Amino acid sequence: MAGFLNVDYKKAVDTSILPAGTYEMGINSVKGDASPGGHECMVFDMIVRKDLDKVPELAKTNAKHHGQHLFVRVWTAKDANGNDSGSYKSSDLNYIAKAVGIPDGADIKTQDDFMKMCENRTARVQVGVNENEYKGEKRKQNSCFVNTWKPTKYPLQGSQPKEDPFKGNAGSDTEINDNDLPF
């Protein structure tokens, strides 16, 4: 019987990124974070939706990469001197709100409230691939700008408000006694 893992360092090379394209994503979580220098951001943990494998227009994106995570950082704006302003660009937050279906005119009190409202929602996003150099090492990485986020074309089943099945039902005037029940 084989054990849990046969260690093979040659297999520790899967650093795959998503190919460029349009993906239908679910937002798994949103957390606040900051760079080592203190520049603040919100980190959106997005997951390529698994329920759209048979959609022809998503055959090269969702069908091939469902379940893969994409971490999108939305940074606070910088002021005229290039310093962290501590505030997010209103346009960035409104792109996100529109894409995930937060109602127009909603008054969101805190950043935490906004992040919670985004969780477990869906969006259609454009993912790009860029080459980045850090400390002399070049590597490819994904990029995803919030101005490309759009409302999903494929709402989750059960995510639409349902009509109350008992609406208008006044019930019966018949009284039922416990002795009349078979259990």
Side-chain angles (χ1 to χ4, degrees), residues 61-80:
T61 56
N62 282 66
K64 289 187 175 183
H65 302 282
H66 62 248
Q68 191 166 338
H69 289 255
L70 174 69
F71 294 92
V72 178
R73 284 173 172 71
V74 179
W75 297 94
T76 52
K78 293 200 174 192
D79 64 20

Side-chain angles (χ1 to χ4, degrees), residues 4 8 25-27 42 58 68 76 81 90-91 102 104 117 120 129 142 144 157 180:
F4 169 70
D8 182 354
M25 304 285 245
I27 299 173
M42 286 185 269
L58 301 173
Q68 191 166 338
T76 52
N81 297 324
S90 178
S91 59
I102 295 173
D104 192 18
M117 289 179 81
N120 302 312
V129 176
N142 285 127
C144 182
Q157 294 295 325
D180 293 335

Side-chain angles (χ1 to χ4, degrees), residues 77-173:
K78 293 200 174 192
D79 64 20
N81 297 324
N83 298 317
D84 183 2
S85 69
S87 298
Y88 291 91
K89 289 172 62 176
S90 178
S91 59
D92 286 350
L93 300 181
N94 280 289
Y95 277 123
I96 295 167
K98 184 176 182 181
V100 302
I102 295 173
D104 192 18
D107 184 22
I108 303 169
K109 302 293 182 200
T110 69
Q111 179 180 331
D112 283 341
D113 291 343
F114 178 76
M115 292 188 302
K116 286 177 189 162
M117 289 179 81
C118 291
E119 289 183 348
N120 302 312
R121 296 198 183 219
T122 56
R124 184 177 186 82
V125 302
Q126 187 66 38
V127 175
V129 176
N130 300 340
E131 189 169 87
N132 185 27
E133 186 173 342
Y134 181 69
K135 294 186 178 180
E137 183 181 333
K138 289 184 180 182
R139 65 181 182 139
K140 291 188 181 214
Q141 66 182 31
N142 285 127
S143 61
C144 182
F145 300 101
V146 296
N147 64 351
T148 70
W149 295 22
K150 305 287 183 222
T152 182
K153 284 187 176 180
Y154 307 97
L156 294 170
Q157 294 295 325
S159 65
Q160 301 300 318
K162 300 230 190 293
E163 178 111 11
D164 180 359
F166 301 106
K167 182 178 180 182
N169 182 355
S172 172
D173 291 338

